[in-house]
Amino acid sequence: MTWHGTRRPAGVLLALTAAGGLLIGGCSAGGTSDSKVGGASYDRPGGDSAPLPAPGRSGGPGGRYDGEPRGGEQDSRGVAPDPDHLSTFALDVDTASYGYARRTLADGRLPDPSTVRPEEFVNSFRQDYERPGGDGFTVTVDGARTDEEDWSLVRVGLATRPAGEDGERAPAALTFVIDISGSMAEPGRLDLARRSLGTMTDRLRDDDSVALVTFSDEAETVLPMTRLGGNRGEVHDAIDGLEPTDSTNVGAGMATGYETAVEGLREGATNRVVLVSDALANTGETEADAILERIAQSRREHGITLFGVGVGSDYGDALMERLADRGDGHTVYVSDEGDAREVFCEQLPRNIELAARDAKAQVAFDPETVAEFRLVGYDNRRVADEDFRDDRVDGGEVGPGHTVTALYAVRTRPGAEGHLATATVRWLDPGSRTPHEETGAVETDGLADSVWRARPGLTVTATAAYFADALRSPGHRYGALPGAPALGELLGRAGSLADRTGDKDVRELAEAIRAAERLG
């Protein structure tokens, strides 16, 4: 693993300044547009420990940068701490890794360690961070001590505005690219896609548009971009006609899908490609970079983003994840009817419109208090520190109703007190592409005395991260994160946490840990 040490600078550390659906709203009356996987509310005032003060809204540290320098604060990178103290990454709201791991464990197998991405485990759970009033983010930074001396887990929580009502959004122009290869004949693949798309057709608005592209060894536009008002029967007929055939040419499907999306491009609408596939490419281009090169111009010129829906017990996780990361989108995984309802009723509505483009985060650790640190996960989303404010460098696209969590393992200097870290998120306005920034900070006295006695949301984050860490190192009794418990102890912690929160999703996490312990 790579750990980052800090050097004590000759002068005082300069602080970071304030530069820095598919079933769109109608699947069920009781759904919440703010949930990650659903479940209980965490991190509201009145929890097990007092909430940290909200970041300030002034132009100083903890404030917000709206594209113009304030008093010379933002016109030089010299205001930032030494790069050795920085950690920079593009935001990522993928959750497919956790969903696929649960499916694999339920099938009686340990997931391949290469498919386990800790940030996707962590981001699969709802967090009730403070929300902004408009586009962009709020920043919450907290943490807790671990059982290993001088080591803590520090959490950076980012939240976008709540998703609005269905009638408040712009029309959607959605191009569905559906895998109809032979492998999609397995129950829970194409049949699940057909049912989900059929339900979606009944719930989308009349002013929304849908196109349908299928691919096996070749790709075909089955339905050009079609307004739903007065044409739902035609859309249903196209969906009902989906049948599995031969090989899997993902490259052809993506190329034809983007061509169809460009041909049906609607000004003033949210234009998006939705890929539904097991991503087991075996014909034509099979590498993500080669596939994306074919659609690069359409993606860049028209801003068409990608949403990947993975299916199947055998699933090309690496290909789908790479396509989504490079296609300015993200992925989810669907294994059954319950997952399909979650994705098509709750998650995808948050991905029709955008709250932020090219979003990146940078965390500055204070070398007076921090000896070393490590970002947990985000291995494919790291960004060079000097590129944080270079808006030509790709970030992540995030919709309304999302929360994004990053977790750090941090070793503090013995007896150190005071400022610990400042986190800054930078994004472009989805319409004007004006840059904005928001910051938040944490002090050493803001750390809870134990991750197991912290506020429930932080404990859920730690439990998910420890579980992912254990799955990535299946031959070791203990994981690589500081304070990592053995799986048996982690199971007990997760079970107690599920009882404490009454959250079904935490209960499912405990069940997954139990399955891993049996298999391990």
Side-chain angles (χ1 to χ4, degrees):
M1 76 188 81
T2 301
W3 296 86
H4 298 271
T6 62
R7 297 194 313 265
R8 185 180 299 273
V12 178
L13 174 70
L14 293 174
L16 263 180
T17 64
L22 293 183
L23 298 182
I24 308 188
C27 286
S28 63
T32 171
S33 63
D34 290 345
S35 67
K36 261 302 188 187
V37 173
S41 299
Y42 303 133
D43 296 330
R44 287 180 175 165
D48 287 21
S49 62
L52 293 170
R57 295 291 185 259
S58 66
R64 183 167 181 156
Y65 171 52
D66 294 317
E68 295 296 331
R70 290 195 177 115
E73 291 174 345
Q74 296 304 326
D75 50 8
S76 171
R77 289 201 179 106
V79 302
D82 186 288
D84 283 356
H85 311 131
L86 297 178
S87 169
T88 309
F89 60 95
L91 300 198
D92 191 347
V93 293
D94 289 359
T95 60
S97 176
Y98 177 66
Y100 186 47
R102 284 184 54 219
R103 165 67 181 265
T104 304
L105 289 165
D107 288 345
R109 296 177 289 125
L110 286 171
D112 186 323
S114 68
T115 69
V116 177
R117 293 182 290 277
E119 73 276 13
E120 298 186 24
F121 279 54
V122 164
N123 279 305
S124 291
F125 296 88
R126 176 187 179 184
Q127 302 288 349
D128 280 352
Y129 303 130
E130 179 190 1
R131 300 280 182 171
D135 284 338
F137 298 88
T138 55
V139 182
T140 301
V141 190
D142 61 6
R145 309 281 184 179
T146 73
D147 294 338
E148 191 168 333
E149 186 176 5
D150 295 328
W151 282 97
S152 299
L153 295 181
V154 173
R155 182 177 64 155
V156 177
L158 310 172
T160 59
R161 62 176 167 81
E165 296 297 323
D166 186 33
E168 297 176 1
R169 65 170 175 82
L174 308 175
T175 300
F176 291 91
V177 180
I178 312 297
D179 186 346
I180 58 168
S181 62
S183 60
M184 291 291 287
E186 175 191 294
R189 298 193 188 196
L190 187 57
D191 58 338
L192 191 59
R194 273 197 304 263
R195 290 194 297 274
S196 300
L197 293 173
T199 305
M200 172 212 70
T201 299
D202 294 331
R203 303 300 179 109
L204 286 171
R205 298 187 329 208
D206 285 349
D207 61 345
D208 292 326
S209 300
V210 170
L212 190 64
V213 171
T214 60
F215 68 93
S216 53
D217 54 341
E218 296 180 349
E220 177 186 4
T221 300
V222 175
L223 182 75
M225 195 63 72
T226 302
R227 296 278 182 119
L228 285 172
N231 297 304
R232 293 181 195 271
E234 181 182 354
V235 177
H236 273 296
D237 287 344
I239 294 168
D240 292 343
L242 297 176
E243 295 292 342
T245 56
D246 300 313
S247 303
T248 308
N249 192 335
V250 176
M254 289 284 286
T256 303
Y258 272 81
E259 289 170 4
T260 301
V262 171
E263 289 171 2
L265 197 74
R266 289 181 57 184
E267 293 295 329
T270 301
N271 296 273
R272 179 149 300 205
V273 169
V274 182
L275 172 64
V276 182
S277 175
D278 58 17
L280 298 176
N282 56 22
T283 301
E285 298 285 3
T286 59
E287 299 295 328
D289 288 348
I291 293 170
L292 286 165
E293 185 60 33
R294 296 178 64 183
I295 62 171
Q297 185 174 356
S298 300
R299 184 170 56 84
R300 286 194 300 264
E301 288 186 7
H302 303 289
I304 300 171
T305 54
L306 176 68
F307 189 94
V309 181
V311 295
S313 56
D314 293 319
Y315 167 54
D317 169 81
L319 175 60
M320 185 71 90
E321 193 251 351
R322 185 69 171 157
L323 287 172
D325 280 353
R326 293 287 302 278
D328 297 330
H330 74 278
T331 64
V332 296
Y333 178 81
V334 168
S335 64
D336 55 28
E337 294 282 356
D339 286 347
R341 285 193 299 272
E342 171 68 29
V343 167
F344 292 106
C345 295
E346 296 185 35
Q347 293 188 26
L348 286 176
R350 295 197 301 270
N351 295 282
I352 293 299
E353 58 178 327
L354 290 176
R357 285 188 179 274
D358 286 321
K360 309 184 195 85
Q362 186 170 85
V363 182
F365 291 94
D366 193 327
E368 298 293 327
T369 55
V370 175
E372 55 183 316
F373 63 91
R374 173 195 169 198
L375 174 60
V376 180
Y378 289 92
D379 299 332
N380 298 328
R381 305 295 281 162
R382 306 295 172 95
V383 174
D385 295 332
E386 61 270 20
D387 289 337
F388 177 58
R389 294 190 175 96
D390 186 344
D391 296 324
R392 296 167 299 179
V393 175
D394 191 40
E397 275 58 42
V398 183
H402 272 120
T403 61
V404 181
T405 299
L407 193 68
Y408 287 85
V410 177
R411 183 170 69 86
T412 52
R413 299 186 184 279
E417 296 181 359
H419 177 255
L420 187 72
T422 297
T424 304
V425 59
R426 179 180 179 89
W427 73 95
L428 303 183
D429 180 272
S432 67
R433 295 185 178 268
T434 301
H436 302 275
E437 294 186 8
E438 189 75 35
T439 67
V442 67
E443 306 283 310
T444 55
D445 61 6
L447 299 174
D449 64 355
S450 169
V451 294
W452 309 118
R453 293 187 295 275
R455 293 159 64 182
L458 179 54
T459 305
V460 169
T461 297
T463 303
Y466 279 137
F467 182 39
D469 194 44
L471 292 176
R472 291 182 108 183
S473 307
H476 300 284
R477 185 180 177 193
Y478 298 95
L481 285 180
L487 272 179
E489 181 185 344
L490 187 64
L491 173 58
R493 298 284 191 185
S496 297
L497 185 60
D499 293 339
R500 176 182 171 195
T501 62
D503 184 354
K504 69 177 181 63
D505 297 309
V506 179
R507 180 66 62 193
E508 290 173 352
L509 174 60
E511 292 169 358
I513 296 171
R514 186 186 306 278
E517 185 192 30
R518 288 198 207 101
L519 292 168

